[in-house]
Amino acid sequence: MGLQHSPSGDQYVITHGDSRAVITRVGATLRSYTVAGHDVIDGFDLDERATDGRGQVLAPWPNRLTDGRYQYGGRDCQAPLNEVERHDAIHGLVRWLDWTLVDRAPALAALACALRPQPGYEWRLDLQVVYALGDAGLTVTFQAVNLSRESAPFGVGFHPYLTLGTPTIDGLDLMIPGAVASGSHDFQEPHGIGSIELDHAFGDLAVGPDGRSVARLTDQAHERSVELWVDQAYRYLMVYTGDLVAEPTRRRTAVAIEPMTCPPDAFRTGEDLIELEPGKAWQGSWGIRSVQA
């Protein structure tokens, strides 16, 4: 399929050494990322659109917003329900918009999006995401600027599905540097996934001396790992074992480890919600690297 006919629009390829990533115009989505010819994320093909959130940017809120309804700044807001069976609004408003390429280099692509006031979100934000490859892997830096005259509610997340190329994730080990509220799943030490089903937000992330929190998926049999790190701007990791993805043959073949600034429903609860003042900017970074186990 020619690029002009791709559902995800223009494709921006960046490379560094044996690493290669593809970012799409639609949604500024990370469509693929490979190292030495091995897939690091389970993305989607040129002739497909993103399904199940694959590689997408989730703003101005990540995850689910119950009933799509919230109150902020004296406003009663109703976002469109795009997950009808659960009666919620999921993953924000920018996943299907065309983003504009604003900077380009062999190992870097930066895209921007103007989020305008609309039903469900009455504020104006300028958004920019920079994808950069280097010796330490892929780094993703996101910035939001509030161009409204009043404070704006804000949260952001990303939705990469990590893979080690195995037919299933059941034989892999997972380490997540945080805990879920119920305490029912503890992966703070490496733990075999087995038949465990996860669709949980992990918070209280442990921070290393470099100021980062690191999650790891490991294939002990082939001595390979993939790590996802977040800086302290991202306080949660949503972990999803893909049990309900749309295509049955892709269920439990990858683990979505999703950096998030806030937990689900933050627009309703206010928990760790970013309240971006007029003219102010917010910025955070996360990344992925392939390592030997």
Side-chain angles (χ1 to χ4, degrees):
M1 171 179 284
L3 293 181
Q4 68 271 26
H5 299 299
S6 173
S8 56
D10 295 338
Q11 311 284 306
Y12 308 112
V13 179
I14 59 175
T15 61
H16 177 82
D18 61 1
S19 299
R20 181 180 187 270
V22 181
I23 298 94
T24 71
R25 183 179 183 186
V26 174
T29 300
L30 180 63
R31 186 171 71 79
S32 72
Y33 175 34
T34 61
V35 176
H38 296 287
D39 286 328
V40 179
I41 66 165
D42 184 14
F44 56 100
D45 292 336
L46 181 64
D47 61 352
E48 298 176 324
R49 70 166 178 84
T51 57
D52 304 296
R54 295 182 187 278
Q56 292 185 314
V57 180
L58 319 177
W61 69 84
N63 215 278
R64 294 177 171 90
L65 178 58
T66 301
D67 298 328
R69 189 168 186 174
Y70 62 99
Q71 294 180 329
Y72 185 84
R75 300 177 184 270
D76 191 357
C77 300
Q78 177 65 64
L81 302 182
N82 54 359
E83 198 175 43
V84 177
E85 66 277 11
R86 295 197 183 193
H87 208 263
D88 60 40
I90 188 169
H91 293 334
L93 301 167
V94 302
R95 293 193 289 160
W96 307 110
L97 299 181
D98 278 357
W99 289 54
T100 301
L101 186 70
V102 294
D103 196 9
R104 189 80 167 86
L108 178 147
L111 294 93
C113 175
L115 181 61
R116 308 293 186 182
Q118 58 193 277
Y121 194 79
E122 298 292 346
W123 300 270
R124 180 185 172 192
L125 302 180
D126 270 6
L127 309 177
Q128 180 171 292
V129 60
V130 180
Y131 294 91
L133 286 173
D135 291 343
L138 176 68
T139 298
V140 183
T141 301
F142 190 89
Q143 179 177 274
V145 179
N146 181 11
L147 299 182
S148 306
R149 295 180 179 179
E150 58 188 280
S151 177
F154 173 72
V156 65
F158 289 79
H159 209 304
Y161 284 78
L162 305 189
T163 180
L164 289 166
T166 55
T168 176
I169 61 172
D170 295 5
L172 303 181
D173 290 346
L174 179 65
M175 189 279 290
I176 302 294
V180 294
S182 66
S184 57
H185 297 290
D186 187 355
F187 285 89
Q188 295 181 76
E189 296 295 330
H191 189 296
I193 297 174
S195 61
I196 294 173
E197 297 183 8
L198 295 174
D199 192 4
H200 295 74
F202 288 73
D204 297 322
L205 302 180
V207 178
D210 60 355
R212 296 175 174 180
S213 303
V214 180
R216 183 182 303 111
L217 184 67
T218 300
D219 178 4
Q220 296 287 0
H222 296 91
E223 299 184 332
R224 293 179 56 223
S225 293
V226 58
E227 294 181 344
L228 184 143
W229 60 266
V230 295
D231 68 14
Q232 294 178 63
Y234 292 93
R235 304 186 64 178
Y236 297 85
L237 293 172
M238 191 76 185
V239 182
Y240 174 46
T241 46
D243 301 274
L244 298 176
V245 300
E247 188 177 341
T249 59
R250 299 182 80 171
R251 292 174 183 168
R252 297 187 66 83
T253 59
V255 180
I257 302 180
E258 310 164 33
M260 300 193 306
T261 59
C262 56
D265 252 355
F267 273 32
R268 291 170 64 92
T269 67
E271 185 175 1
D272 284 324
L273 180 67
I274 297 167
E275 299 189 68
L276 200 53
E277 295 299 321
K280 299 298 184 181
W282 175 93
Q283 182 172 297
S285 296
W286 63 277
I288 305 174
R289 56 194 174 215
S290 179
V291 299
Q292 293 301 115

